[in-house]
Amino acid sequence: MASTNLLIAHEYSPAGTQLPLAAVLDGLPWNEDGLIAAIAQQYDSGEVLMLAWMNRTALEETLASGRVCYWSRSRRQLWRKGETSGAVQRLIEARFDCDGDALLLRVAQSGGACHTGRASCFYNRIEGPQVSILDSAPHPAHGA
Amino acid sequence: MASTNLLIAHEYSPAGTQLPLAAVLDGLPWNEDGLIAAIAQQYDSGEVLMLAWMNRTALEETLASGRVCYWSRSRRQLWRKGETSGAVQRLIEARFDCDGDALLLRVAQSGGACHTGRASCFYNRIEGPQVSILDSAPHPAHGA
């Protein structure tokens, strides 16, 4: 029984419109694994830090605690970012996109967002026929 | 026959390391539909504009043309962003993340990135138990 996707139903509603979060969550187009893509962006510099995934439980925990919790697709469990490494993400703001299949998390990142210790996961730049590594990992084996 | 994921193999290689793009593409962990997630970010302001998907053809066309081309999952065809609306994205820089399942595209966006005409797709902010629409669509039916 699919609920209405309220974000699509209101895509042309004006600024200031408010929708109940629980009903929005009921109607989100969660993927076949029950997940939504989540982009983490450093709130003050604008740097894009990483892309990860959330299920409804992870999103609700994140909103309740103010610390970002993802769903680890490889470990198939909740991934409380920084729980072992200390590289936590404090949630500043969360936004859904127009059709509700992506989240933008504006965060305050402690330490490096990347499991390699780098500030951002996006350190591999395409330069013509090559990919260049832009930053060195600060230490060889850093927990995520 | 899976090729080696060169990005993972080189995740602790130092800044300045160069990898051949074609071999990186051969080893990317394309999802079960042959896609990679692509975040578009306005290159100068840092605003995150949208999240979409690319297959290898879309990525190679984007790199060759300098204009962003996605894969439309709903229409199951290449989606040359702005082809009908004029809201094209000129590619400034493309970066892979640490494990190669996401791309960050730094772009120069013409017009609004969102199919609603808004500058960014991320206009639905979670505010406690509500979701607030932050911007109004500039016109009621804008092509993507």
Side-chain angles (χ1 to χ4, degrees):
Chain A
M1 187 191 65
S3 298
T4 299
N5 184 327
L6 277 189
L7 297 176
I8 289 181
H10 285 273
E11 64 183 358
Y12 291 106
S13 294
T17 301
Q18 292 205 317
L19 309 169
L21 175 62
V24 169
L25 294 178
D26 288 344
L28 280 193
W30 306 95
N31 76 8
E32 64 279 13
D33 297 316
L35 304 177
I36 184 173
I39 302 161
Q41 180 184 35
Q42 176 67 22
Y43 80 100
D44 47 3
S45 69
E47 184 174 20
V48 175
L49 302 173
M50 57 186 285
L51 177 74
W53 295 83
M54 288 184 159
N55 60 12
R56 183 164 176 163
T57 301
L59 175 55
E60 290 179 333
E61 175 175 317
T62 296
L63 295 173
S65 70
R67 290 218 179 165
V68 178
C69 174
Y70 298 105
W71 176 258
S72 168
R73 295 180 301 171
S74 56
R75 297 193 303 270
R76 303 193 64 75
Q77 62 183 40
L78 291 173
W79 167 26
R80 295 180 178 90
K81 174 70 181 161
E83 194 170 41
T84 56
S85 66
V88 299
Q89 295 178 337
R90 184 163 56 84
L91 184 70
I92 306 295
E93 186 183 86
R95 298 185 183 193
F96 293 109
D97 72 351
C98 48
D99 59 358
D101 65 2
L103 268 166
L104 175 63
L105 307 174
R106 295 175 62 87
V107 304
Q109 173 73 56
S110 299
C114 185
H115 73 288
T116 63
R118 294 174 175 93
S120 162
C121 294
F122 293 98
Y123 58 81
N124 294 298
R125 183 166 63 195
I126 301 176
E127 297 177 354
Q130 305 286 334
V131 175
S132 285
I133 296 179
L134 298 179
D135 303 309
S136 297
H139 27 71
H142 183 96
Chain B
M1 187 192 69
S3 299
T4 299
N5 184 328
L6 278 188
L7 298 176
I8 289 181
H10 285 273
E11 64 183 0
Y12 291 105
S13 294
T17 301
Q18 293 205 316
L19 310 170
L21 174 61
V24 169
L25 294 178
D26 287 345
L28 280 193
W30 306 94
N31 76 6
E32 64 279 12
D33 297 316
L35 304 177
I36 183 173
I39 302 162
Q41 180 184 35
Q42 176 66 25
Y43 80 100
D44 47 2
S45 69
E47 183 174 20
V48 175
L49 301 173
M50 56 187 285
L51 177 73
W53 295 83
M54 286 182 161
N55 59 12
R56 183 164 175 164
T57 301
L59 175 55
E60 289 179 332
E61 176 174 317
T62 296
L63 295 172
S65 71
R67 288 214 177 168
V68 178
C69 174
Y70 298 105
W71 176 258
S72 169
R73 296 180 301 171
S74 55
R75 298 193 303 272
R76 305 192 63 74
Q77 62 183 38
L78 292 173
W79 167 27
R80 296 181 177 90
K81 174 71 179 160
E83 194 171 41
T84 57
S85 67
V88 298
Q89 294 178 337
R90 184 163 57 85
L91 183 70
I92 305 296
E93 186 183 86
R95 298 185 184 193
F96 293 107
D97 72 353
C98 49
D99 59 358
D101 65 1
L103 269 166
L104 174 62
L105 308 173
R106 296 176 63 87
V107 304
Q109 172 74 56
S110 299
C114 184
H115 74 287
T116 63
R118 294 173 174 93
S120 162
C121 294
F122 292 98
Y123 58 81
N124 295 298
R125 183 167 62 196
I126 301 176
E127 298 176 355
Q130 305 287 332
V131 176
S132 285
I133 296 178
L134 297 179
D135 303 308
S136 298
H139 28 70
H142 182 99

